[in-house]
Amino acid sequence: MRSARAMGEDAAINGQAACARCQQSNVSIMVRNEDCFKRYVATKVNKRVESNKLRATFKDAPRSLLLPVSFGSSSLSLFHILDQQLRDQKNRTGRCSFQIEVLFVDQAAVVQQDEYEEVWKSLKERFPSHSYSVARLEDVFDDITDLPRDGPALDAAMTDGTILSKQQNLENFLSSLPSATSRTDMIGILRSRLITSLATDHGCEFILYGDSTTRLAERTLSETAKGRGGAIPWLTADGQSPHGVRTVYPMRDLLRKEVVAYVGMADPPLTPLLLQQKGAPNVVTSSKNTTIDDLMAQYFGSVEQNYPSVVANVVRTSSRLEAPLPKSRAGRLCSVCRLPLAQGTEGLRWSGDQGAPERQVDLGQSRDAAASCYESPHGAIPSSSSSGFQHLARTRGFSLARDSL
């Protein structure tokens, strides 16, 4: 008896699509053709743009939007859709309601990636009507002067910060962190702070991230596992950030596999602009270099193939968390991630090396560092734990929106 894979390969050779579930027979239902699918993806993005009021009125000057691109499928697709929207708008009305500032953060100092100069040049040639800028991740130290320095790991990295170059400072800082998860977490924090700082410097009102539903689901669970679940409304939802710049995720209603399909269907395809970065699609769960983000990416990468509703439900559930109103905030921000500090924190337990005795740590020593950020460089864990969004909402000052339950 022939295998399902062999039958599926025969169908592909004969120009017929095999069923994605059983791989034994041809598909009988085609939901959309290529043109309708591209229109479907663009409509999802445009609705998010309109709901967040990114377009300026005819009486106002065009709004300035910062679009960080990583040369991945999501950010390139978002840029392509927004560019098409602006061109259509200019053809109809003779003006544009917003302008895009494209930013690429070069992380070559800490992340293995292909050379970006050629694809960067190709991107500007293909979309010439926008502004472009490149920033290196180590440039974040031009603005960051408030990292906590009381822990042994940070002391080792920051003591000679006035002598070392920015790249050396960054490399020493990351190498002093105790685990791969800590390093990955800190790279994401530094990148976010750099993007926010540049958005302010360029006078941008909005930051548009190309994160898909799958990526937001990964972040929701990974940040919860890191102890930063209370910050989920600011890390995954559209709205005002504590830094005064609004963040929007126009691709949040699209799965990663839909975005990947759009890249190949774009006219001309966006595939030549993809920049390969070292990832972990098949991580080994027992490896000490495996991060929480790697595990979440592997999990949702498999789940979205056959159970896309599970991925969407994670994001939909997290969107019910509401950030407190500005007047209800205490006004204190974490000196690392720059998100509001939790109220009523009871301190940390020092976990240290495996088998080492625990001791209480006073959060006051961390110069207003959030528990989850203090955990990265020091190896500390919260003094009490429980699961569920209700606990996160209660302990971090958030409330579940009852009208969305």
Side-chain angles (χ1 to χ4, degrees):
M1 183 176 178
R2 305 193 64 199
S3 65
R5 179 182 294 274
M7 296 177 67
E9 290 176 351
D10 285 346
I13 292 174
N14 295 328
Q16 300 169 328
C19 175
R21 190 63 173 267
C22 68
Q23 292 290 323
Q24 295 183 5
S25 48
N26 300 335
V27 295
S28 56
I29 299 176
M30 297 294 292
V31 179
R32 295 179 180 89
N33 61 27
E34 186 172 310
D35 291 337
C36 291
F37 176 77
K38 290 190 292 184
R39 193 177 303 115
Y40 158 80
V41 172
T43 300
K44 288 283 188 179
V45 174
N46 293 336
K47 284 184 177 180
R48 280 287 168 184
V49 170
E50 293 175 359
S51 64
N52 285 279
K53 300 179 180 179
L54 300 185
R55 298 175 179 175
T57 63
F58 286 98
K59 298 180 181 179
D60 301 325
R63 297 185 185 275
S64 182
L65 315 178
L66 182 67
L67 175 61
V69 296
S70 61
F71 293 104
S73 300
S74 296
S75 58
L76 287 177
S77 297
L78 175 59
F79 186 28
H80 180 267
I81 294 170
L82 293 177
D83 176 77
Q84 184 63 51
Q85 185 181 118
L86 285 177
R87 284 189 290 168
D88 293 344
Q89 190 179 85
K90 191 168 185 179
N91 291 335
R92 293 194 314 268
T93 64
R95 68 184 299 274
C96 297
S97 58
F98 58 86
Q99 55 189 15
I100 302 175
E101 173 77 27
V102 182
L103 170 68
F104 175 70
V105 178
D106 182 8
Q107 304 179 94
V110 293
V111 177
Q112 294 184 19
Q113 65 180 30
D114 292 343
E115 296 294 331
Y116 70 89
E117 286 80 4
E118 287 299 322
V119 290
W120 182 248
K121 179 181 178 181
S122 300
L123 186 73
K124 293 193 290 185
E125 290 176 351
R126 180 165 174 178
F127 305 100
S129 58
H130 307 285
S131 301
Y132 294 85
S133 59
V134 177
R136 296 176 299 175
L137 184 61
E138 53 266 30
D139 293 339
V140 72
F141 287 103
D142 292 336
D143 299 315
I144 291 184
T145 58
D146 52 357
L147 283 173
R149 307 185 186 190
D150 60 304
L154 291 181
D155 280 336
M158 303 295 289
T159 300
D160 298 328
T162 56
I163 301 176
L164 300 177
S165 67
K166 290 185 293 185
Q167 181 172 343
Q168 291 174 319
N169 204 359
L170 175 64
E171 293 172 351
N172 287 358
F173 175 66
L174 294 177
S175 64
S176 68
L177 301 180
S179 68
T181 294
S182 298
R183 289 187 287 274
T184 301
D185 187 43
M186 193 60 66
I187 289 173
I189 290 173
L190 295 178
R191 182 177 185 272
S192 177
R193 289 197 60 174
L194 176 61
I195 291 173
T196 303
S197 176
L198 292 174
T200 303
D201 294 343
H202 294 171
C204 298
E205 301 178 57
F206 297 85
I207 302 177
L208 273 59
Y209 290 102
D211 297 357
S212 63
T213 298
T214 312
R215 180 69 186 96
L216 293 176
E218 294 170 6
R219 182 178 301 157
T220 297
L221 293 195
S222 64
E223 295 299 327
T224 302
K226 296 172 190 175
R228 201 176 289 115
I232 286 176
W234 286 301
L235 296 173
T236 63
D238 298 342
Q240 189 74 26
S241 73
H243 315 100
V245 182
R246 289 181 61 88
T247 56
V248 182
Y249 300 89
M251 308 285 285
R252 64 180 301 116
D253 295 325
L254 296 165
L255 295 169
R256 177 177 291 140
K257 62 181 181 180
E258 294 175 322
V259 177
V260 171
Y262 181 86
V263 168
M265 294 180 185
D267 186 21
L270 299 170
T271 310
L273 298 176
L274 292 176
L275 180 67
Q276 298 297 324
Q277 290 189 354
K278 184 180 179 180
N282 297 309
V283 298
V284 180
T285 56
S286 60
S287 173
K288 67 178 182 179
N289 292 324
T290 300
T291 67
I292 293 175
D293 302 85
D294 293 337
L295 294 175
M296 290 299 120
Q298 183 187 41
Y299 170 71
F300 283 107
S302 61
V303 168
E304 79 161 354
Q305 298 303 319
N306 295 323
Y307 307 99
S309 61
V310 173
V311 182
N313 283 339
V314 172
V315 178
R316 195 175 298 116
T317 301
S318 66
S319 66
R320 296 174 182 173
L321 286 169
E322 292 183 341
L325 296 175
K327 63 181 180 181
S328 67
R329 298 174 189 161
R332 295 170 58 210
L333 300 178
C334 170
S335 59
V336 179
C337 66
R338 304 306 295 169
L339 293 174
L341 290 172
Q343 300 300 311
T345 307
E346 299 175 358
L348 302 171
R349 288 201 313 271
W350 181 273
S351 61
D353 297 330
Q354 187 173 11
E358 294 180 353
R359 65 180 176 84
Q360 289 291 324
V361 179
D362 182 7
L363 273 181
Q365 297 175 357
S366 65
R367 291 178 54 202
D368 286 346
S372 53
C373 295
Y374 194 96
E375 176 181 347
S376 286
H378 296 82
I381 57 176
S383 59
S384 61
S385 62
S386 65
S387 61
F389 288 117
Q390 290 284 1
H391 170 75
L392 295 172
R394 183 171 62 255
T395 57
R396 300 291 182 131
F398 298 103
S399 60
L400 277 171
R402 297 186 179 276
D403 56 352
S404 61
L405 294 176

